Amino acid sequence: MNYPGKNPWPGLTGPALIAPSLLSVDFARAGKQIDQVLKAGAEVLHVDIMDGHFVPNLSMGPPVVEKIRRYTRAPLDVHLMVTDPEFFLEPFALAGADSLNFHVEATDKPVELIGRIRRMGLGVGVTVKPATPAEAIAPVADLIDLVLVMTVEPGFGGQSFMETMLPKIEAIRAMLAETQRLEVDGGINPQTARRCRDAGADVLVAGNNVFAAPDPAKAVKELRSAID
Ligand code: DX5
Ligand code: ZN
C-alpha cells in the first residue's frame, strides 16, 4: 500500500512550531484561511478527527483530509479522537496524514499501533486526556515522535485552558528526549502558549485563537512573538 504522508517531525527545525487547528477554520473559505496562516509562519496544520463516541462531537472524515492534502503541502498532524484508532489508521494514512496521534485511553495495544504508523512512514504521536496521568505514556515514550497533552477536555474548540495541566507538561517533557516533540492542544492563546512553552511544550495547537480572529495571520504572528 502506498501512503502519501511523510513523518514531518524530524524535518521541522526551530524551537517551537505553531499548528492551527482546522476544527475552527471557516470551511467555506478554508483554502484562503490556510494560505493566510501558512504565509504568516505556521508550520503545521492540526486536523481533529471526532467520531461522536470517543468525544461527543463529529468533525471530518478521510474525504475532507484528502481534499486538504491536495490543496496544501503543509504537514498534516491528524489527531484521532476516536474509539477505534486501529480501524482509522489506514483510511487517514491513505487520505494523506503526515502524522497520526491516537489517544492512549482508546487502545490496549499502543505498541502495535505505533508499529503500524511507523511502517506507513508517518510521524507517531500519542495523546493524553486531562485526567490521564503522565505515567501513562511511559511504556511507549521511547517509540514515538510526539506526545500530545490535551489542555482541555477533547471534543470542542473554544474552551478555556486548564492550567492544572502545566505540571503534567513538565513531567512529560522530563520523560522525553530533546528530539521528541511535546504538543499542547486546547485553549492556546499567546498567554497560555508562553506558559506551555516555559513548561516544555514545543508544538502549540491553536484553533479559535487563530481562525476566529478577525485576522488569522496576525493571530499566528502574535503567537509566534509570545513563544520565541
Ligand atoms: C479539541 C481539539 C482541538 C481544538 C482546539 O478537542 O483537539 O484541536 O481544535 O481548539 P481551541 O484552540 O479553540 O481550544
Ligand atoms: Zn486536536
Side-chain angles (χ1 to χ4, degrees), residues 21 46-48 79 81 148 150 185 205:
S21 167
H46 184 82
V47 185
D48 288 301
H79 173 195
M81 284 164 276
L148 167 51
M150 289 308 302
D185 183 7
V205 176

Side-chain angles (χ1 to χ4, degrees), residues 121-185:
L122 310 183
V124 184
V126 295
T127 308
V128 282
K129 293 208 272 189
T132 303
E135 296 73 48
I137 64 117
V140 296
D142 292 344
L143 308 174
I144 54 182
D145 299 303
L146 169 146
V147 175
L148 167 51
V149 176
M150 289 308 302
T151 45
V152 299
E153 278 305 330
F156 298 91
Q159 304 180 76
S160 296
F161 177 78
M162 296 168 69
E163 35 187 289
T164 48
M165 294 300 110
L166 290 166
K168 183 158 86 178
I169 295 166
E170 285 174 10
I172 291 181
R173 181 78 263 173
M175 294 161 77
L176 298 177
E178 246 177 66
T179 50
Q180 291 173 299
R181 293 278 181 181
L182 199 165
E183 181 173 37
V184 286
D185 183 7

Side-chain angles (χ1 to χ4, degrees), residues 183-211:
E183 181 173 37
V184 286
D185 183 7
I188 299 298
N189 58 38
Q191 293 73 40
T192 57
R194 180 69 247 170
R195 296 181 73 190
C196 290
R197 185 84 191 93
D198 290 341
D202 58 5
V203 183
L204 293 304
V205 176
N208 263 36
N209 181 259
V210 168
F211 288 118

Side-chain angles (χ1 to χ4, degrees), residues 34 38 63 84 123 159 218 220:
I34 287 171
L38 294 175
D84 189 356
Q159 304 180 76
K218 185 162 168 259
V220 168

